[in-house]
């Protein structure tokens, strides 16, 4: 499968966005663990921690789609068009 320069740029931007999302997930995990430690230390209540954890989970789910860079749908369109061309080739 050969890609044009524009398609390669799209793929590179997606790789960069995916690595940024991975870093964001790690940071959220550290923040969640810190919140748990604060709860055990008695500095925040379990109710506050529950709300913060729900927000962190929502952000974690949305993180790959947020920010600059191609969306998942753009990559699916690229791969679908490439696979159609491969099927049509003799």
């Amino acid at each position: 499968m050969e890609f044009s320069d524009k398609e390669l740029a799209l793929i590179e931007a997606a790789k960069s966005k995916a690595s940024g999302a991975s870093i964001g997930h790690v940071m959220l995990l550290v923040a969640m663990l810190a919140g748990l430690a604060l709860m055990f230390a008695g500095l925040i209540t379990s109710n506050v921690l529950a709300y913060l954890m729900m927000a962190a989970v929502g952000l974690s789910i949305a993180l790959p789609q947020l920010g600059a860079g191609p969306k998942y749908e753009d990559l699916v369109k690229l791969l679908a068009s490439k696979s159609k061309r491969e099927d049509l080739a003799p």
Side-chain angles (χ1 to χ4, degrees):
M1 208 182 303
E2 292 191 25
F3 296 101
S4 69
D5 290 338
K6 186 177 178 182
E7 292 168 339
L8 289 172
L10 178 75
I11 292 168
E12 196 60 39
K15 284 171 44 178
S16 173
K17 188 173 182 178
S19 66
S22 296
I23 292 169
H25 286 136
V26 170
M27 290 173 49
L28 278 171
L29 179 62
V30 169
M32 291 170 81
L33 291 173
L36 191 61
L38 289 173
M39 186 194 72
F40 284 132
L43 298 174
I44 61 173
T45 65
S46 60
N47 289 339
V48 171
L49 181 66
Y51 289 122
L52 292 175
M53 293 290 183
M54 287 175 35
V57 168
L59 182 60
S60 178
I61 292 170
L63 196 59
Q65 292 294 321
L66 298 175
K71 305 289 185 232
Y72 175 77
E73 293 82 14
D74 297 335
L75 296 171
V76 171
K77 287 178 190 174
L78 171 64
L79 291 174
S81 70
K82 288 291 182 179
S83 68
K84 284 181 187 175
R85 285 188 234 160
E86 292 287 324
D87 290 342
L88 296 176

